[in-house]
């Protein structure tokens, strides 16, 4: 069973450029989560979807960030324009549902560096 | 606002020792508590999940306990091995309010097991 797949694994780009991170959740999982991990703030939830619908985007830092889930097998996180402070590791995770005994399964992350 | 604290921040032990990692949280309105392992440059791997109605879970050499009323969990690792070296994160899944469905993570414990 394939896990959560993220691409690219590494992204280096210059300030002001548009960045698009991609995620393919585990098949059959109804929930998809985007997290950001930094040394200073640890792991933070940015946004999560249920059945392709955004449920809570209160963690999205500002309007430069947007996320979409056009279908059950694909999601994107876009940053436009990018800034050096956006440098972090971005993780996507998925789960069957939220309550009870279902863990979240994480991808290997995208390491983003904005110069 | 939920706060999750992990103690110690780092731990170095010789191979074969039994060890305990601690996690505390401030809001007991949770669905579950999860322990994750993160290897350098990798995503998070779910180790154990304890539902709010449970007291403990075991998997191999790992045992996790949960005392929801006091807001505490421990991860016990028996007979530690160098391959256990990683960062261990605990996270609580919120049961209600504006944080419904969100995981809040601790800052992690960096474990090093030396031969």
């Amino acid at each position: 069973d394939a896990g959560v797949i993220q691409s690219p694994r590494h992204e280096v780009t210059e300030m002001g450029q548009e960045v698009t991170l991609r995620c393919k959740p585990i098949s059959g999982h109804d929930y998809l989560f985007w997290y950001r991990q930094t040394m200073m703030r640890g792991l933070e939830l940015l946004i999560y979807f249920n059945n392709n619908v955004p449920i809570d985007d209160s963690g999205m830092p500002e309007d430069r960030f947007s996320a979409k889930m056009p279908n059950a097998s694909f999601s994107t996180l876009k940053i436009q324009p990018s800034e050096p402070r956006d440098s972090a590791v971005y993780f996507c995770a998925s789960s069957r549902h939220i309550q009870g005994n279902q863990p979240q399964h994480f991808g290997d992350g995208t390491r983003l560096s904005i110069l | 606002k939920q706060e999750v604290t992990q103690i110690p921040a780092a731990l170095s032990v010789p191979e074969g020792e039994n060890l305990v990692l601690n996690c505390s949280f401030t809001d007991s309105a949770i669905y579950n508590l999860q322990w994750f392992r993160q290897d350098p440059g990798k995503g998070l791997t779910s180790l154990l999940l304890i539902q709010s109605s449970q007291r403990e879970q075991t998997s191999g050499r790992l045992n996790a306990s949960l005392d929801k009323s006091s807001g505490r969990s421990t991860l016990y690792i028996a007979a530690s091995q160098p391959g256990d070296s990683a960062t261990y994160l605990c996270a609580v899944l919120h049961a209600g309010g504006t944080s419904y469905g969100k995981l809040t993570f601790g800052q992690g414990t960096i474990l090093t097991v030396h031969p």
Side-chain angles (χ1 to χ4, degrees), chain A residues 9 37 48 56 58 98 100 107, chain B residues 32 38 41 43 51 93 100 102:
Chain A
R9 288 297 315 278
Q37 186 176 38
Y48 78 91
D56 189 327
S58 59
I98 280 184
Chain B
N32 62 48
Q38 185 174 26
Q51 297 183 64
L93 185 65
Y100 171 79
K102 296 182 180 179

Side-chain angles (χ1 to χ4, degrees), chain B:
Chain B
K1 180 186 173 187
Q2 177 78 271
E3 292 185 5
V4 180
T5 304
Q6 291 188 243
I7 295 174
L11 184 62
S12 181
V13 299
E15 181 177 5
E17 273 204 7
N18 302 324
L19 54 97
V20 174
L21 308 182
N22 297 289
C23 173
S24 63
F25 50 96
T26 55
D27 185 350
S28 61
I30 63 171
Y31 278 127
N32 62 48
L33 182 143
Q34 300 174 47
W35 283 94
F36 293 88
R37 167 183 173 140
Q38 185 174 26
D39 293 287
K42 292 289 189 178
L44 281 67
T45 300
S46 180
L47 297 173
L48 289 166
L49 182 152
I50 312 175
Q51 297 183 64
S52 61
S53 59
Q54 298 175 325
R55 297 285 291 184
E56 66 176 348
Q57 284 287 329
T58 298
S59 175
R61 294 183 294 108
L62 305 180
N63 175 277
S65 67
L66 173 65
D67 184 342
K68 199 175 81 161
S69 61
S70 67
R72 294 179 184 176
S73 175
T74 61
L75 178 66
Y76 175 82
I77 302 177
S80 59
Q81 303 170 358
D84 295 330
S85 299
T87 298
Y88 290 80
L89 295 144
C90 76
V92 294
L93 185 65
H94 297 258
T98 58
S99 296
Y100 171 79
K102 296 182 180 179
L103 269 179
T104 298
F105 284 83
Q107 289 284 22
T109 294
I110 301 172
L111 173 64
T112 303
V113 181
H114 47 88

Side-chain angles (χ1 to χ4, degrees), chain A residues 3 18-19 30 36 46 50 57 64 70 89 114:
Chain A
E18 178 178 290
V19 174
D30 291 337
R36 179 171 67 177
L46 300 177
N50 177 27
D57 65 355
R64 297 184 298 106
V89 182
I114 308 296

